[in-house]
Every structure is written in C-alpha cells, then in structure tokens.
Amino acid sequence: IGIGTSNVGFDSQNDNVIVRNNKVHTNGGVDGSGGIAMNEGSENYLVEGNVVTGNLSRFNGGGIAHNGPSPGNNIIRKNKVMFNEVFFGALLNKAGDGGGIFVGDNVAGVEGTGNVTIEANLIQGNLTGAGSGAGIRAFAVNADDVRQAPNDDTNWYRLNIINNIIVNNVAGVAGGGISLQDVLRANIVNNTIANNDSTATGQLAFAPGAANSTPQ
C-alpha cells in the first residue's frame, strides 16, 4: 500500500488517509516500504489495526514507512508488525534501515517528518540485514522546524513511541530494538523492549580497512 510518491519535492495532498484492519503479507518494495508506505504530503494519517507480516524492502521500512515531510499529527497504532525484512547491501546511509517501522526524511537537515506517534503496536521478529533499527528506525525527524526557531521547541516535530512491545528484532549494524538519528524531541515511554540484537556485521560497522567490526 503506497500513499503518494516518495521524494517528489512537493505536497501531494493525500491528507487524512486511514489505513485500517488490513492484512499486508509477503509483499516487496525496491524504492519504498515493503508493506505500507506513507509518503510526503500524507499529513494527519492513521495506520491502525493492520497485520503487516513477511514483507521485504530494498530501501527503508520493511513493514511500515513514513517517508519525508507530512506535517500534522500522524499515528501508527495497534498494528502487528512482524517478520519483515529490509536489506540494502551497499554502503549507503539513505537506505537499508527500519526492519519493522521506518520514520524519516530522505536527507538530514532539510525538512523533517512532521509529528509521528507509534503507539500500542507489536513489533516482533523484524530484520535489518545491513542497517540500523530493526524494530523502529527514526532518521532526520527534526530539521527545518528547529532551524526556524532554534531556541523554542514548542513547534518542533515530536516522535512518540508509547506502549509498544518491541521484541526479538535483529539489526546488522546498530539498534536492534530502536535506532534514532537527528531526532531532538522524542518520548519513549511505557514500552517493553526485550531480546533485540545488533550484530555489527553490516558494512557500516567496519572502519576502513578493518578486519573486525566495531561493536555497536
């Protein structure tokens, strides 16, 4: 399920979309999420009550992805996000993250994402084969919002990760459960985060010329 198109550079006006009570199973993506992709200009969406299992992406977000700026209050709630995989084998920071859920902009320091709440989901058994954030990966959530008011965080975008079960996920670089980068206003509250692993076997975990990786 793809809402809009990623990285088009304008607001696609896909506002107030509800994706609810679907089974999204064994799909594949090359330049987007394997399961559900909420792309830029999808402000105030609700992704709720879906079973998202066994999907594969070559880019970001094996299960569910929020790609680019969608201002407003966006909600990913009460989904089962299980046994999804994302893999990008090349040395590329823009791809290969977020086995279960990915929230991020395409480039750090540009626009950011908008407010995102990830609440009461089961995020289990997801794999990020060569990147970070097997359960949840958040990247460049904050950017222009901070630049416009660097001393006032009232209107900075907020990432809420609340009341989730995040278990048995594996990342090839870092952040078996959750990985955050360029996220200045995050609340991680009342979650069960257990038995996740980062193996540090992905290319990004190796210093140039090193025979052994750097543990993450």
Side-chain angles (χ1 to χ4, degrees):
I1 300 175
I3 309 301
T5 304
S6 179
N7 201 25
V8 294
F10 57 85
D11 188 343
S12 299
Q13 301 292 330
N14 295 305
D15 301 350
N16 305 308
V17 171
I18 296 174
V19 181
R20 177 184 282 148
N21 295 343
N22 303 283
K23 181 178 181 181
V24 183
H25 180 55
T26 60
N27 303 285
V30 175
D31 290 326
S33 172
I36 299 172
M38 308 303 296
N39 295 307
E40 58 191 274
S42 301
E43 47 258 44
N44 295 312
Y45 68 73
L46 173 63
V47 176
E48 181 179 54
N50 301 283
V51 177
V52 184
T53 61
N55 303 286
L56 171 67
S57 173
R58 188 174 173 266
F59 206 67
N60 291 318
I64 300 172
H66 170 124
N67 297 309
S70 288
N73 295 305
N74 307 291
I75 299 173
I76 300 170
R77 181 171 66 197
K78 296 183 179 178
N79 303 282
K80 293 182 178 179
V81 184
M82 301 182 297
F83 308 114
N84 303 285
E85 180 180 354
V86 60
F87 184 85
F88 193 105
L91 186 64
L92 181 62
N93 283 309
K94 289 174 59 180
D97 293 330
I101 298 174
F102 174 83
V103 175
D105 200 358
N106 295 298
V107 181
V110 181
E111 293 182 277
T113 63
N115 299 310
V116 181
T117 295
I118 301 172
E119 179 183 6
N121 302 279
L122 172 61
I123 304 167
Q124 182 175 17
N126 301 286
L127 172 65
T128 302
S132 297
I136 298 172
R137 167 68 166 175
F139 169 74
V141 169
N142 299 101
D144 193 51
D145 53 326
V146 177
R147 190 161 43 245
Q148 291 181 17
N151 298 315
D152 180 8
D153 66 0
T154 305
N155 293 315
W156 293 5
Y157 297 141
R158 184 188 297 272
L159 174 66
N160 296 311
I161 301 175
I162 301 170
N163 293 333
N164 301 280
I165 298 174
I166 305 169
V167 293
N168 307 118
N169 304 285
V170 178
V173 178
I178 300 172
S179 173
L180 307 183
Q181 182 178 342
D182 294 304
V183 183
L184 301 184
R185 202 174 181 216
N187 294 316
I188 302 175
V189 180
N190 291 341
N191 302 281
T192 297
I193 306 171
N195 297 325
N196 303 286
D197 290 298
S198 59
T199 64
T201 52
Q203 189 174 1
L204 292 170
F206 286 79
N212 299 311
S213 67
T214 303
Q216 303 293 305

